[in-house]
């Protein structure tokens, strides 16, 4: 009888410890606002495409080395901006954009490069509210409700790439002043 009670007590104790350990493992670390990863969208495979903006390094007037993530996989690559392509170092294969996300990736690396890890400029959102969208005239990612400075990472026509929402989005040039 004592043995049975002891086993139940120990069993519940270990079960409780197991649940606490499992819960602590499932707690996600909050995203660092200084993170180098910038979300570009989804690849044709459905995997997220992120660029490590801190990895961007110009190696010649025609090529820029950078690291990107396809889902959880880290890939080192070299952008060939004039050819609108990139080569992955691990297999030597040259790729061309197959999705908006991979085109955004190339635009971000090539147009946004200014020797500072992809950041070219900042601008003032001067007359809020101003919408940041997932693509030009696309769905709204977030709304900037106060006058403030935002980072810019290159442009596509009249639209500028920004991480003002915590992930890569686009804001129209009519909403910002340099």
């Amino acid at each position: 009888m004592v043995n049975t009670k002891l086993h139940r007590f120990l069993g519940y104790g270990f079960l409780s410890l197991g649940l606490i350990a499992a819960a602590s493992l499932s707690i996600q670390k909050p995203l660092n606002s200084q993170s180098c990863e910038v979300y570009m969208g989804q690849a044709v495979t459905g995997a997220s495409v992120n660029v490590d903006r801190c990895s961007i390094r110009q190696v010649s007037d025609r090529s820029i080395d950078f690291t990107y993530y396809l889902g959880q996989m880290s890939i080192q690559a070299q952008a060939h901006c004039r050819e609108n392509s990139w080569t992955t170092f691990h297999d030597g294969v040259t790729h061309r954009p197959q999705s908006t996300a991979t085109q955004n990736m190339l635009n971000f690396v090539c147009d946004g490069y200014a020797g500072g890890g992809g950041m070219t400029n900042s601008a003032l959102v001067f007359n809020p509210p101003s919408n940041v969208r997932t693509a030009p005239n696309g769905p709204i990612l977030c709304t900037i409700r106060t006058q403030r400075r935002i980072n810019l990472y290159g442009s596509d026509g009249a639209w500028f790439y920004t991480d003002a929402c915590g992930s890569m989005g686009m804001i129209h040039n009519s909403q910002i002043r340099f």
Side-chain angles (χ1 to χ4, degrees), residues 120-133 144 146-164 169-178:
T120 60
N121 214 338
S122 68
L124 175 69
V125 177
F126 69 94
N127 192 16
S130 299
N131 293 328
V132 176
R133 299 176 179 273
I144 298 172
T146 59
Q147 213 179 66
R148 67 179 176 112
R149 294 200 76 75
I150 60 172
N151 295 325
L152 299 179
Y153 301 93
S155 63
D156 185 2
W159 293 83
F160 284 85
Y161 293 98
T162 181
D163 60 358
M170 300 187 85
I171 189 166
H172 194 266
N173 66 4
S174 65
Q175 303 300 306
I176 56 177
R177 287 196 182 141
F178 294 94

Side-chain angles (χ1 to χ4, degrees), residues 88-103:
T88 48
F89 290 144
H90 70 279
D91 59 7
V93 174
T94 298
H95 305 271
R96 297 204 179 280
Q98 300 295 314
S99 66
T100 301
T102 51
Q103 185 63 62

Side-chain angles (χ1 to χ4, degrees), residues 10-174:
L10 288 174
Y12 290 132
F14 286 119
L15 177 62
S16 297
L17 285 174
L19 291 174
I20 291 168
S24 69
L25 290 175
S26 69
I27 295 172
Q28 302 244 336
K29 222 165 94 173
L31 288 177
N32 180 353
S33 63
Q34 300 299 315
S35 173
C36 291
E37 284 187 43
V38 181
Y39 179 71
M40 296 290 133
Q42 284 189 304
V44 293
T45 62
S48 293
V49 176
N50 291 286
V51 172
D52 178 347
R53 67 181 173 87
C54 300
S55 72
I56 301 171
R57 301 286 177 262
Q58 188 161 12
V59 292
S60 74
D61 64 332
R62 299 177 57 125
S63 300
I64 300 171
D65 288 354
F66 69 103
T67 300
Y68 70 100
Y69 296 87
L70 188 58
Q72 296 297 315
M73 185 171 33
S74 173
I75 303 170
Q76 293 181 339
Q78 186 170 82
H80 313 290
C81 300
R82 293 181 187 161
E83 291 84 27
N84 197 43
S85 66
W86 73 97
T87 301
T88 48
F89 290 144
H90 70 279
D91 59 7
V93 174
T94 298
H95 305 271
R96 297 204 179 280
Q98 300 295 314
S99 66
T100 301
T102 51
Q103 185 63 62
N104 287 346
M105 176 184 77
L106 271 180
N107 292 347
F108 181 80
V109 170
C110 294
D111 297 341
Y113 184 78
M119 190 182 333
T120 60
N121 214 338
S122 68
L124 175 69
V125 177
F126 69 94
N127 192 16
S130 299
N131 293 328
V132 176
R133 299 176 179 273
T134 59
N137 297 315
I140 296 171
L141 188 59
C142 75
T143 301
I144 298 172
R145 300 192 183 285
T146 59
Q147 213 179 66
R148 67 179 176 112
R149 294 200 76 75
I150 60 172
N151 295 325
L152 299 179
Y153 301 93
S155 63
D156 185 2
W159 293 83
F160 284 85
Y161 293 98
T162 181
D163 60 358
C165 299
S167 62
M168 190 56 62
M170 300 187 85
I171 189 166
H172 194 266
N173 66 4
S174 65

